[in-house]
Amino acid sequence: MKVQVILGSTRPGRNGAAVAEWVTDIIKGRSDIEVELVDVADYNLPVLDEPMPASYGQYSMEHTKKWSAKIAEADAYIFVTPEYNHGVPGSFKNAVDYLYSEWNNKVVGFVGYGVSGASRSIESWRLIVSQLKMADINSQVGLNLSDDFENYVEFKPMDNRADQLNKLVDELVLWGGALKTIR
């Protein structure tokens, strides 16, 4: 099963890069999945500029076609998401909104970071992904800027975070395998 760890923040100096690399490094050693880090910032997606709704799958822009091909490769996703103003980052939401069928019948887990462990961002994501026919798993990792980052900047996760992440990945593999049978 192929899992993409999607880094959703595009902000310069973002904390998410260290978090996404940590997630990827921890799960690289597993024999039951292939993992790839996908950075939304690498796709330079403008504010949604496709003339047709994503559900039609009729993409006209090269950046959309490239993004679509990458996302279509995976069976499951881990969204690494910050929380901005009690919600999801606009750049990440924009990237997700570009596509539709590429997300359908796949599973997603969340690793969030922020003042409250990104709990509100993750809850918002759960509503969003349900409209994309995605299954979201119950386990999540909520990293708190005061507990898991030194001086709110340098990522130093608490000891129990790796166990939380492995539990999330176990659920992701279970659900990913089940959903693969209906795609």
Side-chain angles (χ1 to χ4, degrees), residues 93-105:
K93 174 73 165 64
N94 182 62
V96 169
D97 286 345
Y98 261 92
L99 308 176
Y100 181 72
S101 64
E102 296 84 350
W103 303 115
N104 293 174
N105 300 313

Side-chain angles (χ1 to χ4, degrees), residues 7 11 17 19 25-26 34 42 53 55 70 93 108 117 124 130 137 152 154-155 168 173 180 183:
L7 171 52
R11 185 180 58 79
V19 174
D25 288 345
I26 285 181
E34 175 188 340
D42 290 341
S55 60
K70 177 50 65 183
K93 174 73 165 64
V108 61
S124 295
S130 71
I137 57 172
Y152 294 90
E154 187 179 350
F155 182 52
L168 181 154
V173 168
K180 200 171 188 174
R183 284 198 308 280

Side-chain angles (χ1 to χ4, degrees), residues 65-82:
K65 292 174 185 177
K66 181 180 171 188
W67 178 240
S68 169
K70 177 50 65 183
I71 295 305
E73 293 174 0
D75 301 302
Y77 309 94
I78 297 174
F79 283 10
V80 175
T81 185

